């Protein structure tokens, strides 16, 4: 919502406050100001790099050099047909001003004007926007000759003054504009862009924000009759009403004004509408919009005669009825679009059919035109859900649907219509018909909530007396009644006044906790002299009673207060906001600490990450949303969790495979010399119409060179199966898993059948790894090197038994010996090693394979495995003979079990 | 005796010209080796008369000691010279690059998540993780977002294709807040007396999803860390104290914060916490868009409907909750201009952390 401060001033005295002060107050009170746009008012002089508390744009009008002036005669330019020379009076002297403005061109050469034209006049040296430039470019007026005539000043367009983009003609001010007055004083402005949160729907109007700001400032709203347009209660007789479903349409009000003259609105109205972002149309539409921006109640104007022309009943009066649309029903809205409706849409109809899409947009047929004489004005209340869904369904976001879809209190309907009629009569000269036609079948309950000082203490942590609570809530017009008798007259004792002291908004020790016990009750900025002293309160028993029950009744313009415990929370929020969230102290939690449960799975995953990092892997995080096509490069899955409203077809399912994500990342980085990537995260296994399973996985991909090319490293070998296995061994050792075994993987279709292993801890498979199958690899744009891929199931990995047992550090020296045995190719190295260890028992403390050798001399189909053995006894120093005895036992066992031959 | 003097003189003379190890060894063989003239003198001692023997023997020993000590001295000189030479020759270009060892990196989101969770853990908030695909009830309804409520527009969602679920469709969670309900229900279920569940103090990290166009400023997935404290004695003032402390740990002991009223459906009262820009110290810079303040987190007192959804009686229990974005904080901290870097998985980005 754009809030012109000139308009706000109709409701609130803002003397002494800058736009920044107001913006700050609103922002801290829950109405965040997103931008301040100046159009005339004095701006803070920001340097290019200065801090700006708020995003600031716009232009200030020099009070000396930009003034209201009057054109007294429009004369031809001697050398240019399109230009005119205007005799102008700026309040002190006569000037001649050159202009090409088309909207006064018709007055050229008509002699002295019977009524001078009031204009915005910029003198030499004034800084304004360049009207001819694209965008907003500042320019300073200098003397120049244009077609032989000296020019030094200008009559301004809206663009030149930063009011709008309009540069077709100059501004024609209202007749009563005071000549010679600085323009900034006459119509200067600063507009705040205020974000309206759903709980602040009541503030989507000038009055709404004014009321809130008044409360936050502790000032009174101006006693302006406009916000109390009281409905006289007489029932008009120009139409009849029928509401078929009050839950869709709790209230409907009609007013009539006859004999209007459709024309442009006064300039000040047009300017205000432009400042709030509306386009002036004519005095009727402008009046409905103006009333909406002022009060928050959207209005709709019908051409009354069109409706009368459609009447089929005998009374000759239109009968308006509201109902849900029929499925497939059609209505042409006033933007000319024929809309097909659903029962979610609510219609305003007459006997012949639909007239408008309730709360969203009027229909074309009954629209106000230049020929309209009599206006039927509608103000209503609608179910916000229907309006919201209708606006979305038909993509019709408007100022009206914005308000109705957040909820407008039905009590505003007659106020809105009354204001609309008043404005139309002022601006068009029409005559308001007596009374309103009002049907109000479903008035909302304006909830009454009970609150005690104890509640305030319990939730907000501040000590307020009943009187203090009441004083705060009465500022926003809650009706408060204390349930116990109290001695004190209910005098407002709080005055959270506005202060220029910016630090009041900052959490710091010296202001954070206003001392409730002392006279400065709520605000550090309090002016104690005219505030009732809390000493009076201390003598009052009821006020200091934390159990004092205050019943608080919601004022009839807001719909955001609930009942019961919810209503209490709503009221506590009001108290916190008005007390000032910045004024609530900062304390430490005194409550008991909960039982310490921790999160072992999370901690375990973090340990896994640390281990992987220590092994040189880079962590990646991928989009969970992917496509079946992308994943099917790695593997085909029967089904996926399918996104009903994907942002793009490329992200229309949730991933089934984490490895596919990591391979995609590898593909993106295919140019890197070497890649070692991993990701930890969920995959999603669908269950039809139910929540999916979300098992967590670890996927690893390695490819490229083993060592980075450098000044002394050329053509390093590429990473292969055993590079990955080495990392996995270290990883599992880091996790202190015991009884880890590797076996050829036969279930991993995506891996090379000869270079794939499954990893078991005990009997439990925890993952697979290996080289990517050549056919799978072909589907990715990856380099020539083999691609190693691993995937682990984290649930299996976490639940695998950790097998840490400490080995004593040996005291006696070891005996080292190398042996090489020749075995058939089919004998797995792991088998040989386990035979060595079994046979050697405790005495063989290490058996490290250091060479695998194949050669003709050894024989085809054979290989030589060379082991470095360490013999060591925990009890004594082994002799060579003892070592040899163990060795012989081992060799004999290998001969028996795997037909090994000792290689000499 | 003269012979011994000659042996000594010529040996010492020869040693003068010895300058390297090989020559030194040759000299040793020639002059104090087994077949050297000196040793032959020792060998010939037996043939001498009793009278001559002691004198010659003594003289020979003296010569032997003299030559040996001359040998040691020469050897030391040669060794020193060789060392000096090698030290002089073995000069590296120390400006050549070192040999790289592979270094792993955590994703910047993980780094930031850990910072947050570590600090919260020290403040007593234990990590609670929960599912990423949720029902409408858990993601919205239990959190006081009624059906069709305008507040839902703030969080456009990705829905999962299902049939016949009516008003409880399945969607990707838009925040980690469903975990608040799950954690409270877990605690109620585990409590000996469900009417008196234990206090709760948890941090909820995890990936969330919103239907947004992917741009430099908005993403379809993002991490969130929420905090939740529930108990019988927890106030808005405690919320301010806790978050002020958190900000000091997160952004430095001098970090100043401010709270302003805001609105979230699941908390009431609600507030936004800003921290003074840690880049410019509040003077105004491009990171804080010249405002001097950074929007860091949203917070508030847990809404009574949320407490009730979790099984906690709002008449007896109160609580506060807060939520913040690790990616946003990482962007501020590392001046990352484009949020798309986070899931872009470009190692040239990731390697910098």
């Amino acid at each position: 919502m754009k809030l012109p401060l000139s308009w706000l001033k109709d409701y609130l005295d803002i003397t002494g406050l800058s736009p920044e002060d107001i913006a700050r107050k609103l922002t801290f009170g829950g109405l965040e100001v997103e931008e301040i746009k100046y159009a005339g008012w004095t701006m803070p002089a920001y340097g290019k790099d200065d801090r700006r508390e708020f995003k600031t744009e716009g232009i200030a009008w020099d009070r000396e050099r930009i003034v209201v002036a009057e054109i007294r005669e429009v004369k031809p330019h001697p050398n240019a047909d399109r230009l005119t020379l205007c005799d102008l009076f700026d309040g002190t002297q006569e000037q001649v001003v050159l202009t090409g403005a088309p909207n006064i061109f018709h007055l050229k050469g008509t002699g002295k004007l019977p009524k001078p034209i009031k204009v915005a006049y910029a003198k030499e040296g004034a800084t304004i926007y360049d009207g001819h430039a694209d965008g907003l470019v500042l320019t300073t007026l200098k003397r120049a000759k244009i077609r032989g005539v000296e020019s030094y000043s200008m009559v301004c367009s809206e663009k030149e003054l930063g009011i709008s983009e309009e540069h077709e003609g100059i501004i024609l001010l209202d007749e009563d504009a005071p000549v010679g007055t600085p323009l900034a004083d006459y119509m200067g402005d600063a507009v705040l862009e205020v974000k309206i949160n759903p709980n602040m729907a009541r503030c989507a109007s000038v009055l709404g924000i004014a009321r809130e700001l008044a409360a936050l400032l502790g000032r009174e709203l101006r006693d302006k009759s406009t916000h109390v347009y009281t409905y006289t209660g007489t029932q008009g007789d120009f139409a009849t009403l029928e509401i078929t479903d009050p839950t869709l349409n709790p209230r409907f009000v009609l007013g009539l004004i006859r004999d209007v003259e459709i024309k442009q609105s006064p300039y000040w109205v047009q300017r205000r509408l432009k400042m709030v972002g509306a386009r002036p149309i004519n005095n009727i539409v402008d009046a409905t919009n103006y009333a909406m921006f002022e009060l928050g109640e959207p209005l709709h104007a019908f051409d009354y005669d069109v409706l009368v022309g459609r009447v089929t009943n005998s009374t000759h009066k239109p009968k308006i009825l509201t109902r849900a649309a029929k499925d497939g029903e059609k209505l042409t809205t006033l933007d000319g679009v024929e809309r097909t409706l659903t029962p979610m849409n609510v219609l305003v109809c007459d006997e012949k059919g639909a007239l408008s899409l309730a709360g969203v947009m009027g229909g074309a047929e009954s629209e106000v035109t230049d020929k309209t004489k009599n206006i039927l004005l509608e103000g209503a209340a609608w179910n916000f859900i229907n309006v919201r869904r209708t606006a979305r369904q038909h993509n019709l976001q408007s100022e009206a649907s914005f308000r109705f879809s957040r909820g407008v209190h039905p009590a505003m309907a007659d106020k809105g219509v009354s204001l609309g009629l008043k404005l139309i009569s002022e601006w068009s000269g029409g005559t308001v018909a007596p009374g309103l036609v009002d049907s109000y079948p479903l008035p909302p309950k304006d909830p009454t909530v009970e609150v005690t000082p104890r509640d305030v203490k319990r939730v907000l942590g501040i000590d307020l007396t009943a009187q203090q609570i009441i004083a705060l809530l009465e500022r926003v017009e809650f009706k408060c009644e204390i349930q116990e008798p109290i001695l004190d007259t209910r005098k407002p004792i709080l005055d959270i006044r506005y202060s220029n002291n910016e630090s009041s908004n900052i959490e710091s020790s010296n202001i954070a906790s206003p001392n409730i016990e002392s006279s400065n009750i709520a605000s550090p900025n309090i002016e104690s002299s005219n505030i009732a002293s809390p000493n009076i309160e201390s003598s009052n028993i009821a006020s200091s009673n934390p159990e004092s029950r205050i019943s608080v009744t919601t004022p009839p313009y807001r719909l955001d207060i609930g009942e019961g415990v919810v209503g209490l929370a709503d009221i506590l929020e009001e108290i916190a906001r008005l007390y000032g969230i910045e004024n609530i102290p900062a304390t430490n939690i005194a409550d008991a600490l909960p039982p310490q449960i921790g999160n072992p799975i999370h901690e375990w995953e973090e340990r896994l990450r640390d281990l992987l990092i220590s092994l040189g892997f880079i962590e990646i995080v991928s989009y969970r949303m992917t496509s079946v096509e992308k994943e099917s490069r790695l593997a085909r899955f029967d089904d996926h969790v399918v996104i009903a409203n994907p942002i793009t077809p490329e992200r229309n399912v949730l991933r089934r495979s984490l490895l596919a994500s990591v391979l995609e990342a590898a593909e993106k980085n295919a140019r890197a010399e070497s890649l070692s990537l991993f990701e930890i995260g969920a995959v999603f296994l669908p269950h039809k119409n139910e929540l999916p399973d979300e098992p967590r996985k670890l996927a690893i991909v390695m490819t490229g060179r083993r060592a980075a090319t450098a000044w002394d490293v050329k053509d390093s070998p590429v990473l292969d199966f055993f590079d990955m296995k080495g990392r996995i061994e270290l990883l599992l050792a880091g996790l202190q898993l015991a009884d880890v075994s590797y076996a050829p993987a036969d279930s991993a279709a995506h891996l090379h059948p000869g270079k794939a292993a499954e990893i078991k801890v005990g009997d439990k498979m925890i993952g697979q790894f290996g080289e990517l199958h050549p056919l799978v690899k072909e589907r990715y744009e990856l380099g020539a090197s083999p691609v190693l891929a691993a995937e682990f199931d984290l649930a299996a990995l976490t639940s695998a038994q950790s097998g840490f047992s400490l080995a004593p550090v040996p005291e006696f020296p070891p005996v080292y010996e190398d042996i090489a045995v020749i075995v058939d190719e089919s004998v797995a190295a792991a088998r040989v090693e386990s035979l060595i260890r079994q046979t050697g028992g405790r005495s063989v403390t290490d058996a490290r394979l250091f060479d695998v050798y194949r050669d003709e001399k050894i024989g085809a189909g054979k290989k030589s495995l060379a082991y470095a053995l360490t013999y060591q006894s925990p009890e004594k120093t082994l002799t060579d003979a003892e070592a040899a005895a163990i060795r012989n036992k081992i060799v004999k066992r290998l001969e028996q079990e795997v037909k090994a031959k000792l290689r000499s | 005796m003269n012979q011994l003097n000659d042996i000594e003189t010529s040996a010492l003379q020869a040693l003068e010209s010895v300058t390297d190890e090989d020559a030194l060894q040759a000299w040793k063989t020639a002059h104090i080796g087994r077949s050297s003239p000196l040793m032959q003198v020792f060998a010939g001692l037996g043939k001498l008369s009793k009278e001559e023997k002691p004198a010659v023997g003594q003289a020979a020993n003296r010569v032997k000691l003299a030559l040996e000590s001359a040998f040691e001295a020469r050897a030391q000189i040669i060794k020193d010279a060789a060392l000096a030479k090698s030290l002089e020759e073995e000069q590296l270009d120390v400006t050549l690059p070192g040999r790289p060892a592979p270094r792993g990196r955590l994703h910047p989101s993980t780094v930031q998540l850990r910072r947050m969770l570590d600090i919260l853990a020290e403040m007593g908030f234990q990590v609670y993780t929960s599912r990423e695909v949720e029902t409408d009830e858990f993601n919205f309804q239990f959190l006081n977002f009624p059906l069709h409520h305008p507040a839902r527009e703030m969080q456009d969602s990705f829905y999962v294709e299902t049939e016949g679920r009516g008003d409880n469709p399945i969607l990707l969670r838009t925040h980690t807040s469903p975990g608040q309900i799950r954690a409270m229900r877990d605690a109620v279920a585990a409590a000996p007396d469900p009417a008196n569940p234990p206090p709760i103090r948890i941090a909820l990290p995890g990936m969330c999803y919103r239907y947004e166009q992917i741009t430099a400023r908005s993403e379809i997935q993002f991490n969130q860390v929420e905090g939740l404290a529930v108990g019988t004695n927890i106030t808005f003032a405690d919320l301010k104290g806790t978050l002020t402390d958190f900000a000091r740990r997160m952004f430095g002991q001098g970090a100043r914060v401010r709270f302003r009223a805001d609105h979230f459906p699941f908390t009431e009262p609600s507030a936004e916490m800003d921290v003074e820009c840690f880049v410019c110290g509040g003077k105004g810079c491009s990171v804080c868009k010249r405002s001097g303040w950074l929007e860091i987190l949203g917070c508030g007192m847990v809404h009574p409907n949320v407490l009730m959804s979790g099984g906690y009686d709002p008449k007896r229990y109160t609580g506060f909750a807060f939520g913040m974005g690790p990616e946003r904080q990482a962007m501020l901290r590392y001046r990352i201009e484009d949020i798309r870097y986070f899931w872009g998985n470009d190692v040239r980005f990731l390697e910098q952390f």
Side-chain angles (χ1 to χ4, degrees), chain A residues 388 570 598 623 692 712, chain B residues 99 126 131 153 219 268 290:
Chain A
R388 178 168 168 266
D570 295 333
Y623 287 105
D712 63 341
Chain B
R99 257 171 227 121
Q126 303 174 66
R131 53 184 312 118
E153 279 171 23
E219 258 293 3
E268 190 171 31
R290 305 240 156 274

Side-chain angles (χ1 to χ4, degrees), chain A residues 51-52 197 388-389 458-459 570 581 584 587 597-598 619 623 642 644 647 669 689 692 694 711-712, chain B residues 97 99 105 110 126 131-133 148 153 159 161 163 212 219 236 238 240 262 268 282 290 314 345:
Chain A
R51 184 174 91 98
R52 293 162 185 227
N197 281 329
R388 178 168 168 266
R389 293 177 74 175
R458 187 173 82 93
V459 175
D570 295 333
I581 276 181
I584 294 176
T587 56
I597 305 164
E619 184 186 24
Y623 287 105
V642 180
I647 202 121
N669 292 290
N689 296 333
E694 302 180 5
W711 54 277
D712 63 341
Chain B
R99 257 171 227 121
R105 326 269 165 147
T110 303
Q126 303 174 66
R131 53 184 312 118
E132 295 179 19
V133 183
H148 314 301
E153 279 171 23
Y159 287 90
E161 267 187 13
E163 277 170 21
E212 302 243 11
E219 258 293 3
F236 194 92
D238 295 339
K240 285 186 73 175
D262 205 336
E268 190 171 31
R290 305 240 156 274
N345 289 336

